[in-house]
Amino acid sequence: MATTETIHHHLHLHRHHDHHNTINTHLKQKTSTKSTRLAKSLSNLLHLHIQGSAQKSLSNVRFEEKKDTPTTSPKEDISDKWRDMHGSSDWNNLLDPLHPLLRREIIKYGEFSQATYDAFDFDSFSKYCGSCRYNRHNLFEKLGLNKHGYIVSKYIYAMSSMKVPRWLEKSRLLENAWSKDSNWMGYVAVSDDEESKRIGRRDIVVAWRGTVAPSEWYEDLKRKLDPIGPHGEAKVEHGFLSIYTSKSDATRYNKSSASEQVMDEVKRLVQFYKEKGEEVSLAITGHSLGGALALLNAYEAASALPGLPISVISFGAPRVGNIAFRDELHQKGVKTLRVVVKQDVVPRMPGIVFNEALQRFVYITGSLEWVYHHVGAELKVDVRSSPYLKHRFNLLGFHSVETYLHLVDGFHSSSSVFRSEARRDLALVNKACDMLVDELRIPQSWYQLANKGLERNAHGRWVKPKRDPEDIPSPIGEEHTLHGTDS
């Protein structure tokens, strides 16, 4: 939904090492590996690949005319509808056909998820690899997201007590690295006064960062379920829980876990705004691994803050736990909307075989304590619906957040064609992949800093510039006062 000017601003100012370089490095190294071959084989087995007749030409699509039109429609007041948009009725009769007000909200939360990638330092040669490039006060300004009317109040850092090397990025310059253990894993934000008036409540948002390449899932998932909650019946994937709860006194950024960091901030904000007499909601969003962390976060928040309206909007998220975990989330009142691209393999993970489909054989499987189960409502979109996307196997492109947002923007119903009035900028799809048809002449993986982040110094030499002091991660910089969000 960013303007063309914003895209060019991003192109020149953002990403020391873009997704394209890092992802392609991952994928080239893995091309002949078992995990990538398995991903493609499973895609064919599960009928996730593109089938059908040859793709139609874009000759009749008036793409050129879209270049001179706004990327968003005017915001509408949803103050009297916010509970429906937030999932109070599990989005019944709002998904197919997709309600236009809900579409806008889904894309808003999707852009909050995308921000965790756009601002993340993937450059393994940077001493700040694994951190956010910008401080929380200017994150949304740098990414062109001020339009949504939210203020970032807290950054979240995570580590893992188990080895998940492809889930958490590490600098090659470990001796001088900002952290040897932690990664920036997301942020907490809250709607400002104007946006709160439009949406009918004070909305607290937690956005969790996910993984880059979907082929990583096959090697890194441990397929082990650990108990969560007081009763021990609900169980979740071991690796997800490790990232959410790990901490160590020996680290700078994870003396407290991601769980403790986010819950302290959410509780603080809820108390602050409720004491002012405001209605408050919590929306948790994430893509891929971030969607899994969002569910763990929602489970904990619902336990700690009963009665608080909590919804999860996830994109390309895997299964997280067993049927007891799903049932407890439901009992706690958590509303979950999973956006899924039909061709994406990650939502099939983990539990390709041992999943909710086995519920029909309950007399064999018993209580399904060891079987993975999805949670909540599903909005499924299809790559084949868009005339702007290449209809060929693209593991990375199918899993991209920008592909998801493009398809949501164009989705009206499961029985209708791609919306001709879709406004979201098409160029965003190719930020970090190669999904757009060649007729659009949008280069693949274009989102990067000018000169790959190098600058010419006073002596004419090309060097990596130093970060602005305010953008250098600091545990002290993450401290805040207890008075609102402007700390």
Side-chain angles (χ1 to χ4, degrees):
M1 297 172 73
T3 62
T4 303
E5 291 77 8
T6 303
I7 289 175
H8 287 295
H9 174 71
H10 287 174
L11 179 60
H12 293 293
L13 296 182
H14 293 163
R15 310 301 300 277
H16 194 138
H17 228 70
D18 58 19
H19 288 187
H20 168 53
N21 291 340
T22 304
I23 293 169
N24 279 355
T25 299
H26 278 288
L27 293 181
K28 285 177 182 177
Q29 291 173 346
K30 293 169 175 280
T31 300
S32 61
T33 66
K34 180 179 178 181
S35 63
T36 303
R37 294 198 305 272
L38 178 59
K40 194 164 185 176
S41 298
L42 288 172
S43 179
N44 291 328
L45 177 65
L46 298 169
H47 304 290
L48 301 179
H49 57 290
I50 302 295
Q51 295 177 330
S53 57
Q55 186 169 358
K56 295 181 180 179
S57 170
L58 274 183
S59 57
N60 294 325
V61 180
R62 302 164 73 179
F63 170 65
E64 290 297 324
E65 294 182 7
K66 287 182 177 287
K67 291 183 178 180
D68 297 320
T69 61
T71 57
T72 60
S73 54
K75 287 185 177 183
E76 296 184 41
D77 189 309
I78 63 168
S79 58
D80 61 341
K81 306 178 184 68
W82 77 264
R83 291 189 179 275
D84 289 334
M85 300 300 112
H86 204 255
S88 62
S89 300
D90 297 305
W91 297 281
N92 286 332
N93 302 316
L94 295 176
L95 297 176
D96 194 5
L98 181 60
H99 195 289
L101 297 180
L102 178 57
R103 179 186 297 108
R104 177 188 281 277
E105 294 301 293
I106 292 172
I107 290 175
K108 176 180 74 175
Y109 292 121
E111 290 188 338
F112 288 148
S113 292
Q114 178 65 40
T116 63
Y117 294 117
D118 290 346
F120 189 72
D121 191 340
F122 287 95
D123 184 0
S124 62
F125 289 102
S126 166
K127 64 187 292 186
Y128 302 113
C129 179
S131 72
C132 181
R133 295 185 180 281
Y134 314 110
N135 71 72
R136 64 184 176 84
H137 297 291
N138 64 11
L139 175 68
F140 284 170
E141 179 184 357
K142 291 287 188 179
L143 301 182
L145 295 180
N146 280 342
K147 61 187 178 183
H148 290 314
Y150 284 71
I151 302 166
V152 178
S153 69
K154 179 75 175 178
Y155 276 176
I156 308 165
Y157 296 89
M159 61 177 291
S160 179
S161 58
M162 60 176 278
K163 284 192 175 182
V164 283
R166 295 181 184 89
W167 286 0
L168 301 178
E169 300 289 333
K170 302 291 184 183
S171 172
R172 299 188 188 186
L173 312 174
L174 281 178
E175 300 230 347
N176 298 315
W178 71 285
S179 174
K180 297 179 182 180
D181 305 286
S182 302
N183 263 207
W184 179 64
M185 214 65 197
Y187 58 88
V188 182
V190 61
S191 55
D192 62 21
D193 292 345
E194 183 178 353
E195 179 67 2
S196 297
K197 182 178 180 181
R198 183 187 76 85
I199 62 178
R201 83 281 187 192
R202 188 70 63 168
D203 188 32
I204 301 168
V205 172
V206 181
W208 292 93
R209 183 176 63 80
T211 46
V212 182
S215 57
E216 297 165 4
W217 291 92
Y218 299 98
E219 293 186 1
D220 292 337
L221 277 178
K222 301 302 179 185
R223 301 175 181 85
K224 176 185 175 185
L225 286 163
D226 284 348
I228 187 174
H231 307 298
E233 295 179 359
K235 296 180 179 179
V236 296
E237 203 279 326
H238 176 68
F240 302 154
L241 190 61
S242 175
I243 290 177
Y244 187 65
T245 60
S246 292
K247 62 180 178 179
S248 171
D249 286 336
T251 65
R252 295 182 66 201
Y253 292 86
N254 279 113
K255 294 185 186 300
S256 59
S257 66
S259 160
E260 292 167 339
Q261 294 167 47
V262 70
M263 287 308 303
D264 285 349
E265 181 66 1
V266 169
K267 289 176 182 177
R268 182 187 78 86
L269 291 171
V270 169
Q271 179 181 356
F272 179 80
Y273 288 109
K274 281 197 170 182
E275 286 179 352
K276 294 175 66 177
E278 297 189 31
E279 198 156 21
V280 182
S281 67
L282 175 61
I284 311 174
T285 187
H287 165 256
S288 196
L289 167 65
L293 297 176
L295 276 183
L296 297 179
N297 187 184
Y299 182 91
E300 185 176 21
S303 302
L305 298 163
L308 179 70
I310 300 173
S311 68
V312 174
I313 311 291
S314 68
F315 302 84
R319 297 182 180 95
V320 176
N322 63 359
I323 193 169
F325 176 67
R326 181 205 67 176
D327 290 346
E328 288 190 24
L329 277 169
H330 179 74
Q331 291 162 10
K332 292 174 185 293
V334 173
K335 305 299 182 179
T336 302
L337 176 59
R338 296 180 297 106
V339 185
V340 174
V341 167
K342 181 179 180 181
Q343 289 76 18
D344 187 5
V345 297
V346 171
R348 304 276 179 146
M349 304 288 111
I352 297 173
V353 177
F354 300 109
N355 56 55
E356 57 269 10
L358 288 181
Q359 192 169 358
R360 70 189 72 172
F361 305 113
V362 66
Y363 61 92
I364 298 175
T365 63
S367 62
L368 300 178
E369 289 183 1
W370 46 274
V371 175
Y372 286 96
H373 207 292
H374 266 310
V375 176
E378 179 182 87
L379 173 62
K380 182 173 286 187
V381 290
D382 192 333
V383 167
R384 295 172 299 179
S385 69
S386 172
Y388 305 104
L389 300 183
K390 293 175 180 175
H391 295 181
R392 66 188 185 201
F393 184 82
N394 188 328
L395 195 64
L396 179 63
F398 295 161
H399 190 54
S400 166
V401 184
E402 292 293 357
T403 300
Y404 270 77
L405 298 184
H406 167 72
L407 292 172
V408 170
D409 190 36
F411 181 81
H412 174 67
S413 74
S414 56
S415 59
S416 60
V417 298
F418 196 86
R419 291 193 318 131
S420 60
E421 62 270 32
R423 290 173 174 261
R424 188 172 170 78
D425 195 338
L426 293 171
L428 295 173
V429 175
N430 267 15
K431 260 184 178 179
C433 63
D434 183 20
M435 281 294 289
L436 291 174
V437 294
D438 293 339
E439 292 102 307
L440 297 180
R441 295 180 291 178
I442 304 296
Q444 62 178 290
S445 304
W446 57 261
Y447 190 68
Q448 62 181 14
L449 281 170
N451 306 310
K452 301 291 180 69
L454 294 182
E455 294 181 1
R456 186 175 293 175
N457 67 13
H459 302 288
R461 298 183 184 277
W462 290 95
V463 298
K464 283 182 176 291
K466 293 182 179 180
R467 273 201 189 181
D468 290 338
E470 64 178 12
D471 291 331
I472 295 175
S474 168
I476 297 176
E478 282 306 302
E479 295 177 357
H480 54 241
T481 65
L482 293 177
H483 305 291
T485 59
D486 297 326
S487 52

PDB file of all heavy atoms in Angstrom, residues 30 33 53 56 62 110 117 156 206 245 250 273 275 283 289 325-326 328 377 401 479:
ATOM      1  N   LYS A  30      21.260 -24.773  -0.669  1.00  0.00           N
ATOM      2  CA  LYS A  30      20.346 -25.860  -0.329  1.00  0.00           C
ATOM      3  C   LYS A  30      19.742 -26.543  -1.559  1.00  0.00           C
ATOM      4  O   LYS A  30      18.972 -27.478  -1.418  1.00  0.00           O
ATOM      5  CB  LYS A  30      19.193 -25.319   0.535  1.00  0.00           C
ATOM      6  CG  LYS A  30      19.629 -24.849   1.891  1.00  0.00           C
ATOM      7  CD  LYS A  30      18.469 -24.103   2.524  1.00  0.00           C
ATOM      8  CE  LYS A  30      18.822 -23.708   3.938  1.00  0.00           C
ATOM      9  NZ  LYS A  30      18.651 -24.821   4.872  1.00  0.00           N
ATOM     10  N   THR A  33      20.064 -30.081  -1.534  1.00  0.00           N
ATOM     11  CA  THR A  33      19.859 -30.713  -0.235  1.00  0.00           C
ATOM     12  C   THR A  33      18.548 -31.466  -0.188  1.00  0.00           C
ATOM     13  O   THR A  33      17.625 -31.218  -0.959  1.00  0.00           O
ATOM     14  CB  THR A  33      19.870 -29.675   0.900  1.00  0.00           C
ATOM     15  OG1 THR A  33      18.735 -28.832   0.751  1.00  0.00           O
ATOM     16  CG2 THR A  33      21.152 -28.872   0.888  1.00  0.00           C
ATOM     17  N   SER A  53      -4.082 -24.559 -17.507  1.00  0.00           N
ATOM     18  CA  SER A  53      -3.685 -24.115 -18.832  1.00  0.00           C
ATOM     19  C   SER A  53      -2.647 -23.005 -18.738  1.00  0.00           C
ATOM     20  O   SER A  53      -2.366 -22.484 -17.671  1.00  0.00           O
ATOM     21  CB  SER A  53      -4.915 -23.609 -19.593  1.00  0.00           C
ATOM     22  OG  SER A  53      -5.541 -22.579 -18.860  1.00  0.00           O
ATOM     23  N   LYS A  56      -2.604 -16.510 -19.002  1.00  0.00           N
ATOM     24  CA  LYS A  56      -3.058 -15.496 -19.943  1.00  0.00           C
ATOM     25  C   LYS A  56      -2.122 -14.300 -19.947  1.00  0.00           C
ATOM     26  O   LYS A  56      -1.501 -13.978 -18.948  1.00  0.00           O
ATOM     27  CB  LYS A  56      -4.470 -15.033 -19.577  1.00  0.00           C
ATOM     28  CG  LYS A  56      -5.529 -16.123 -19.723  1.00  0.00           C
ATOM     29  CD  LYS A  56      -6.904 -15.589 -19.359  1.00  0.00           C
ATOM     30  CE  LYS A  56      -7.956 -16.675 -19.504  1.00  0.00           C
ATOM     31  NZ  LYS A  56      -9.306 -16.171 -19.138  1.00  0.00           N
ATOM     32  N   ARG A  62      -5.073  -3.277 -17.482  1.00  0.00           N
ATOM     33  CA  ARG A  62      -4.700  -1.869 -17.632  1.00  0.00           C
ATOM     34  C   ARG A  62      -3.733  -1.477 -16.517  1.00  0.00           C
ATOM     35  O   ARG A  62      -4.010  -0.661 -15.657  1.00  0.00           O
ATOM     36  CB  ARG A  62      -5.963  -1.022 -17.616  1.00  0.00           C
ATOM     37  CG  ARG A  62      -6.928  -1.451 -18.720  1.00  0.00           C
ATOM     38  CD  ARG A  62      -8.334  -0.924 -18.496  1.00  0.00           C
ATOM     39  NE  ARG A  62      -8.437   0.492 -18.750  1.00  0.00           N
ATOM     40  CZ  ARG A  62      -9.559   1.188 -18.650  1.00  0.00           C
ATOM     41  NH1 ARG A  62     -10.676   0.567 -18.309  1.00  0.00           N
ATOM     42  NH2 ARG A  62      -9.584   2.478 -18.877  1.00  0.00           N
ATOM     43  N   GLY A 110      -0.798  -7.138   8.216  1.00  0.00           N
ATOM     44  CA  GLY A 110       0.215  -7.767   7.372  1.00  0.00           C
ATOM     45  C   GLY A 110       1.403  -6.865   7.141  1.00  0.00           C
ATOM     46  O   GLY A 110       2.565  -7.326   7.100  1.00  0.00           O
ATOM     47  N   TYR A 117      10.661  -7.708   8.670  1.00  0.00           N
ATOM     48  CA  TYR A 117      11.669  -8.106   7.686  1.00  0.00           C
ATOM     49  C   TYR A 117      12.363  -6.885   7.090  1.00  0.00           C
ATOM     50  O   TYR A 117      13.583  -6.854   6.933  1.00  0.00           O
ATOM     51  CB  TYR A 117      11.031  -8.907   6.547  1.00  0.00           C
ATOM     52  CG  TYR A 117      10.475 -10.252   6.944  1.00  0.00           C
ATOM     53  CD1 TYR A 117       9.120 -10.521   6.819  1.00  0.00           C
ATOM     54  CD2 TYR A 117      11.306 -11.258   7.424  1.00  0.00           C
ATOM     55  CE1 TYR A 117       8.601 -11.759   7.157  1.00  0.00           C
ATOM     56  CE2 TYR A 117      10.802 -12.501   7.774  1.00  0.00           C
ATOM     57  CZ  TYR A 117       9.445 -12.740   7.641  1.00  0.00           C
ATOM     58  OH  TYR A 117       8.932 -13.967   7.982  1.00  0.00           O
ATOM     59  N   ILE A 156      11.240  -6.264  20.961  1.00  0.00           N
ATOM     60  CA  ILE A 156      11.316  -7.592  21.572  1.00  0.00           C
ATOM     61  C   ILE A 156      12.551  -8.309  21.042  1.00  0.00           C
ATOM     62  O   ILE A 156      12.803  -8.313  19.833  1.00  0.00           O
ATOM     63  CB  ILE A 156      10.068  -8.434  21.243  1.00  0.00           C
ATOM     64  CG1 ILE A 156       8.785  -7.673  21.580  1.00  0.00           C
ATOM     65  CG2 ILE A 156      10.103  -9.772  21.976  1.00  0.00           C
ATOM     66  CD1 ILE A 156       7.542  -8.293  20.955  1.00  0.00           C
ATOM     67  N   VAL A 206       1.145  -6.491  18.667  1.00  0.00           N
ATOM     68  CA  VAL A 206       2.441  -7.156  18.786  1.00  0.00           C
ATOM     69  C   VAL A 206       2.740  -7.795  17.439  1.00  0.00           C
ATOM     70  O   VAL A 206       1.916  -8.557  16.915  1.00  0.00           O
ATOM     71  CB  VAL A 206       2.440  -8.231  19.887  1.00  0.00           C
ATOM     72  CG1 VAL A 206       3.833  -8.871  19.981  1.00  0.00           C
ATOM     73  CG2 VAL A 206       2.044  -7.644  21.237  1.00  0.00           C
ATOM     74  N   THR A 245      10.542 -18.554  25.160  1.00  0.00           N
ATOM     75  CA  THR A 245      10.763 -18.541  26.613  1.00  0.00           C
ATOM     76  C   THR A 245      12.231 -18.535  27.041  1.00  0.00           C
ATOM     77  O   THR A 245      12.505 -18.377  28.229  1.00  0.00           O
ATOM     78  CB  THR A 245      10.096 -19.779  27.255  1.00  0.00           C
ATOM     79  OG1 THR A 245      10.659 -20.974  26.699  1.00  0.00           O
ATOM     80  CG2 THR A 245       8.591 -19.765  27.021  1.00  0.00           C
ATOM     81  N   ALA A 250      23.653 -14.322  31.156  1.00  0.00           N
ATOM     82  CA  ALA A 250      24.931 -14.024  30.505  1.00  0.00           C
ATOM     83  C   ALA A 250      24.766 -13.151  29.263  1.00  0.00           C
ATOM     84  O   ALA A 250      25.754 -12.701  28.685  1.00  0.00           O
ATOM     85  CB  ALA A 250      25.633 -15.332  30.133  1.00  0.00           C
ATOM     86  N   TYR A 273      -4.044   2.463  29.759  1.00  0.00           N
ATOM     87  CA  TYR A 273      -5.198   2.976  29.017  1.00  0.00           C
ATOM     88  C   TYR A 273      -6.525   2.640  29.695  1.00  0.00           C
ATOM     89  O   TYR A 273      -7.482   3.404  29.586  1.00  0.00           O
ATOM     90  CB  TYR A 273      -5.162   2.474  27.571  1.00  0.00           C
ATOM     91  CG  TYR A 273      -4.068   3.154  26.777  1.00  0.00           C
ATOM     92  CD1 TYR A 273      -2.930   2.461  26.376  1.00  0.00           C
ATOM     93  CD2 TYR A 273      -4.152   4.515  26.471  1.00  0.00           C
ATOM     94  CE1 TYR A 273      -1.913   3.095  25.668  1.00  0.00           C
ATOM     95  CE2 TYR A 273      -3.138   5.154  25.770  1.00  0.00           C
ATOM     96  CZ  TYR A 273      -2.029   4.445  25.381  1.00  0.00           C
ATOM     97  OH  TYR A 273      -1.027   5.078  24.695  1.00  0.00           O
ATOM     98  N   GLU A 275      -6.918   2.606  32.908  1.00  0.00           N
ATOM     99  CA  GLU A 275      -7.038   3.585  33.982  1.00  0.00           C
ATOM    100  C   GLU A 275      -7.527   4.933  33.461  1.00  0.00           C
ATOM    101  O   GLU A 275      -8.059   5.747  34.220  1.00  0.00           O
ATOM    102  CB  GLU A 275      -5.694   3.748  34.688  1.00  0.00           C
ATOM    103  CG  GLU A 275      -5.338   2.563  35.585  1.00  0.00           C
ATOM    104  CD  GLU A 275      -3.985   2.725  36.254  1.00  0.00           C
ATOM    105  OE1 GLU A 275      -3.259   3.695  35.906  1.00  0.00           O
ATOM    106  OE2 GLU A 275      -3.640   1.884  37.111  1.00  0.00           O
ATOM    107  N   ALA A 283      -4.075  -7.110  19.366  1.00  0.00           N
ATOM    108  CA  ALA A 283      -3.963  -7.824  18.091  1.00  0.00           C
ATOM    109  C   ALA A 283      -2.520  -8.285  17.950  1.00  0.00           C
ATOM    110  O   ALA A 283      -1.590  -7.491  18.071  1.00  0.00           O
ATOM    111  CB  ALA A 283      -4.356  -6.919  16.924  1.00  0.00           C
ATOM    112  N   LEU A 289       7.285 -18.353  11.164  1.00  0.00           N
ATOM    113  CA  LEU A 289       7.615 -18.557  12.581  1.00  0.00           C
ATOM    114  C   LEU A 289       6.950 -17.501  13.451  1.00  0.00           C
ATOM    115  O   LEU A 289       6.512 -17.777  14.572  1.00  0.00           O
ATOM    116  CB  LEU A 289       9.139 -18.509  12.770  1.00  0.00           C
ATOM    117  CG  LEU A 289       9.674 -18.390  14.199  1.00  0.00           C
ATOM    118  CD1 LEU A 289       9.332 -19.631  15.004  1.00  0.00           C
ATOM    119  CD2 LEU A 289      11.177 -18.149  14.178  1.00  0.00           C
ATOM    120  N   PHE A 325      -4.257 -27.744  22.864  1.00  0.00           N
ATOM    121  CA  PHE A 325      -3.796 -26.353  22.764  1.00  0.00           C
ATOM    122  C   PHE A 325      -4.827 -25.521  22.022  1.00  0.00           C
ATOM    123  O   PHE A 325      -5.187 -24.417  22.446  1.00  0.00           O
ATOM    124  CB  PHE A 325      -2.447 -26.311  22.048  1.00  0.00           C
ATOM    125  CG  PHE A 325      -1.910 -24.922  21.798  1.00  0.00           C
ATOM    126  CD1 PHE A 325      -1.522 -24.109  22.851  1.00  0.00           C
ATOM    127  CD2 PHE A 325      -1.775 -24.437  20.501  1.00  0.00           C
ATOM    128  CE1 PHE A 325      -1.013 -22.827  22.629  1.00  0.00           C
ATOM    129  CE2 PHE A 325      -1.270 -23.161  20.266  1.00  0.00           C
ATOM    130  CZ  PHE A 325      -0.891 -22.361  21.334  1.00  0.00           C
ATOM    131  N   ARG A 326      -5.351 -26.054  20.921  1.00  0.00           N
ATOM    132  CA  ARG A 326      -6.394 -25.351  20.171  1.00  0.00           C
ATOM    133  C   ARG A 326      -7.622 -25.107  21.048  1.00  0.00           C
ATOM    134  O   ARG A 326      -8.179 -24.003  21.073  1.00  0.00           O
ATOM    135  CB  ARG A 326      -6.799 -26.172  18.950  1.00  0.00           C
ATOM    136  CG  ARG A 326      -7.870 -25.514  18.083  1.00  0.00           C
ATOM    137  CD  ARG A 326      -8.659 -26.509  17.280  1.00  0.00           C
ATOM    138  NE  ARG A 326      -9.487 -27.361  18.156  1.00  0.00           N
ATOM    139  CZ  ARG A 326     -10.345 -28.269  17.705  1.00  0.00           C
ATOM    140  NH1 ARG A 326     -10.482 -28.471  16.403  1.00  0.00           N
ATOM    141  NH2 ARG A 326     -11.060 -28.998  18.550  1.00  0.00           N
ATOM    142  N   GLU A 328      -7.899 -25.000  24.341  1.00  0.00           N
ATOM    143  CA  GLU A 328      -7.664 -24.052  25.423  1.00  0.00           C
ATOM    144  C   GLU A 328      -7.637 -22.613  24.911  1.00  0.00           C
ATOM    145  O   GLU A 328      -8.136 -21.695  25.581  1.00  0.00           O
ATOM    146  CB  GLU A 328      -6.370 -24.402  26.160  1.00  0.00           C
ATOM    147  CG  GLU A 328      -6.490 -25.650  27.022  1.00  0.00           C
ATOM    148  CD  GLU A 328      -5.295 -25.870  27.931  1.00  0.00           C
ATOM    149  OE1 GLU A 328      -4.589 -24.888  28.249  1.00  0.00           O
ATOM    150  OE2 GLU A 328      -5.056 -27.034  28.326  1.00  0.00           O
ATOM    151  N   ALA A 377     -10.016 -19.627  12.322  1.00  0.00           N
ATOM    152  CA  ALA A 377     -10.600 -19.512  10.981  1.00  0.00           C
ATOM    153  C   ALA A 377      -9.497 -19.368   9.943  1.00  0.00           C
ATOM    154  O   ALA A 377      -8.393 -18.912  10.242  1.00  0.00           O
ATOM    155  CB  ALA A 377     -11.538 -18.310  10.921  1.00  0.00           C
ATOM    156  N   VAL A 401       5.481 -12.609   2.432  1.00  0.00           N
ATOM    157  CA  VAL A 401       4.398 -11.790   2.982  1.00  0.00           C
ATOM    158  C   VAL A 401       3.779 -10.926   1.898  1.00  0.00           C
ATOM    159  O   VAL A 401       2.556 -10.769   1.831  1.00  0.00           O
ATOM    160  CB  VAL A 401       4.904 -10.879   4.126  1.00  0.00           C
ATOM    161  CG1 VAL A 401       3.735 -10.111   4.744  1.00  0.00           C
ATOM    162  CG2 VAL A 401       5.613 -11.681   5.191  1.00  0.00           C
ATOM    163  N   GLU A 479      14.680   0.737  27.636  1.00  0.00           N
ATOM    164  CA  GLU A 479      13.959   1.072  28.845  1.00  0.00           C
ATOM    165  C   GLU A 479      12.997   2.220  28.564  1.00  0.00           C
ATOM    166  O   GLU A 479      13.214   3.044  27.695  1.00  0.00           O
ATOM    167  CB  GLU A 479      14.942   1.468  29.954  1.00  0.00           C
ATOM    168  CG  GLU A 479      15.846   0.313  30.397  1.00  0.00           C
ATOM    169  CD  GLU A 479      16.846   0.753  31.447  1.00  0.00           C
ATOM    170  OE1 GLU A 479      16.876   1.960  31.778  1.00  0.00           O
ATOM    171  OE2 GLU A 479      17.605  -0.104  31.917  1.00  0.00           O
TER     172      GLU A 479
END
